[in-house]
Amino acid sequence: MIRGILLDLAGVVYEGDHVLPNALEAVRQLHSTGLPIRFVTNTTTKTKKALLARLTGLGLEITSDELFTPGQAARAWLKQHNASPLLLVHPNLKAEFSSLPDRKKRAVIVGDAGEAFTYWTLNHAFRALIDGAAFLALAKNRTFMDDDGKLSLDAGAFVSALEYSSGKQAIVLGKPSPDFFHAALASMGCAPEEAVMVGDDAECDVAGALLAGLSRAVLVRTGKYRDGDERRVEAPPTAVVKDLPAAAAWILGHRDG
């Protein structure tokens, strides 16, 4: 039985500056069932507030409580561990951490920094890591669908480079971290085995959800999906469908089963 739904955003609901065909109607259809929904994204180029504003502008009806971001998870980690951030992130995301107090303990936080990934910034992060800073990765995706409709290199390669050089393993805060999935599920009182995940990333969205204990995960052939992705992951998807409307139909058809 399905009692809760997790939806990815980029590549599932929208791409670039446009909503995918009939995606908003599919979200409304899922909302009409009364099932709780959480939107779980690895987007790290915007603050949660800015992302909410963008989604609202695209016509998506969403509240702050329904949206889970890696930046949000990083703030919670820093508070829990009494640490201050050393940021290697996109300039637009820095405001997410501006209100945090200065603490003695440090944590290097790596996100999709875009053009801010330079030798100097990476070496600065490396030196902080070997000096004892904790290592947090907002996400470790291989690629993302860029605004020009093509795949671009994501932060995963830079996180791996710092892991290799420093000898430290990053704590991944976004998908596919089980803690990230579990936090979203806990917010709606849903057990993992009663939830379904929908995403376009076979590795982070689908396999990540299944390995986190979710009983079902649906892969859509939009966004970053490439033919055969479902055969290249440790935990294959429960179903592979055309797009979000097809995923919504699949969920409604399997809600009680």
Side-chain angles (χ1 to χ4, degrees):
M1 180 172 291
I2 296 175
R3 296 185 182 275
I5 303 168
L6 301 182
L7 296 181
D8 185 28
L9 284 167
V12 176
V13 177
Y14 69 90
E15 287 181 359
D17 60 357
H18 66 278
V19 175
L20 289 169
N22 301 312
L24 296 183
E25 181 181 346
V27 174
R28 285 192 289 268
Q29 184 181 26
L30 291 173
H31 265 137
S32 70
T33 66
L35 292 173
I37 299 175
R38 295 295 182 266
F39 299 88
V40 287
T41 178
N42 271 6
T43 297
T44 61
T45 56
K46 293 179 176 62
T47 64
K48 181 175 180 177
K49 181 179 179 181
L51 182 56
L52 275 169
R54 181 185 188 190
L55 296 172
T56 300
L58 290 173
L60 182 64
E61 297 176 4
I62 182 173
T63 67
S64 179
D65 290 342
E66 290 179 311
L67 178 62
F68 278 74
T69 69
Q72 173 185 349
R75 284 181 59 94
W77 191 98
L78 292 168
K79 182 178 180 180
Q80 179 184 355
H81 293 84
N82 198 34
S84 292
L86 295 172
L87 298 172
L88 180 47
V89 299
H90 194 281
N92 291 343
L93 189 65
K94 290 184 177 181
E96 191 85 79
F97 304 93
S98 61
S99 64
L100 297 177
D102 186 47
R103 300 181 176 102
K104 184 176 181 180
K105 182 177 180 179
R106 294 287 188 266
V108 170
I109 298 180
V110 181
D112 177 15
E115 294 183 4
F117 280 129
T118 66
Y119 176 80
W120 187 92
T121 58
L122 286 163
N123 197 48
H124 182 67
F126 162 73
R127 290 179 173 180
L129 291 173
I130 63 173
D131 283 343
F135 188 7
L136 307 181
L138 297 181
K140 204 177 178 182
N141 296 65
R142 300 175 190 273
T143 62
F144 69 97
M145 178 64 69
D146 219 328
D147 288 346
D148 61 1
K150 297 181 180 180
L151 291 181
S152 286
L153 188 67
D154 211 333
F158 301 98
V159 173
S160 294
L162 288 170
E163 287 178 329
Y164 175 78
S165 297
S166 69
K168 281 189 171 181
Q169 193 75 19
I171 299 168
V172 180
L173 297 175
K175 297 172 295 184
S177 166
D179 289 342
F180 191 67
F181 288 111
H182 293 165
L185 293 173
S187 74
M188 55 185 180
C190 181
E193 60 271 17
E194 297 176 329
V196 59
M197 171 72 201
V198 179
D200 66 323
D201 187 321
E203 185 175 21
C204 289
D205 293 337
V206 171
L210 294 171
L211 293 173
L214 277 74
S215 60
R216 305 167 182 85
V218 179
L219 180 65
V220 293
R221 297 191 186 98
T222 53
K224 69 172 64 174
Y225 173 84
R226 292 297 180 270
D227 186 45
D229 281 354
E230 62 272 24
R231 298 188 294 273
R232 291 189 278 267
V233 291
E234 178 182 353
T238 312
V240 183
V241 300
K242 178 184 176 182
D243 53 16
L244 181 55
W250 187 95
I251 291 170
L252 294 176
H254 293 79
R255 179 180 177 183
D256 299 321

